Amino acid sequence: MEKTVSMYNDIEKILVTRREIDVAVKKLGDMITEQYEGKELVMVCILKGAALFFSDLIREVSLPMVIDFMSASSYGSGTESKGEVRIKKDLDRPIAGKHVILVEDIVDTGNTIYFLQNYLKDRGAASVRVATLLDKPARRKVPLKADYYCFTIPDAFVVGYGLDYDEKYRNLPDIGILSPGVYGAEG
Ligand code: 5GP
């Protein structure tokens, strides 16, 4: 309790509450259930940020599926990715002929997910769609439109519900804008 309270002290503004997330995730799960009936579905979690969203979302999809995990990092100076993406953990199973949904926490410049989508298409997936919890369209650098998204947010750095700053705040139940003072304190 004390720890959660102190995490909230670092949050400038709550953007999305846990309750709003629950409603949106359920709606998205229903949509996927409707659209993927009869297809060989593979839902892929992009680690680590999407882990919480993923675990909630897959339980709202009432279809047989395979789950898998990928981890990628983008190179670039500072906090901005430059489009050079490196895969740190690849899928465990082949995806040729499968219908893939890449589940991401946030699409910012779009570089990471754009790269991963093309990478999986090249490996013969029947289709590769993107489901993201948050979309920050203002900062897009590549022609990528998420097929499914829960919330569009302004150009601010957010944490919580899986999203981190320096590996912290992932366990915050809501999503909020991190106070600039916290960056300053990190130097
Ligand atoms: P992109 O390649 O779209 O620029 O970057 C996507 C990745 O950048 C996300 O998966 C996430 O790890 C990180 N990212 C972008 N914006 C934010 C943000 O506002 N907060 C956090 N915690 N991570 C972000």
Side-chain angles (χ1 to χ4, degrees), residues 81 104-112 136 156-158 163-164:
S81 73
E104 179 63 298
D105 53 357
I106 185 165
V107 180
D108 186 23
T109 64
N111 284 332
T112 310
K136 243 194 236 180
F157 191 81
V158 297
L163 289 107
D164 76 311

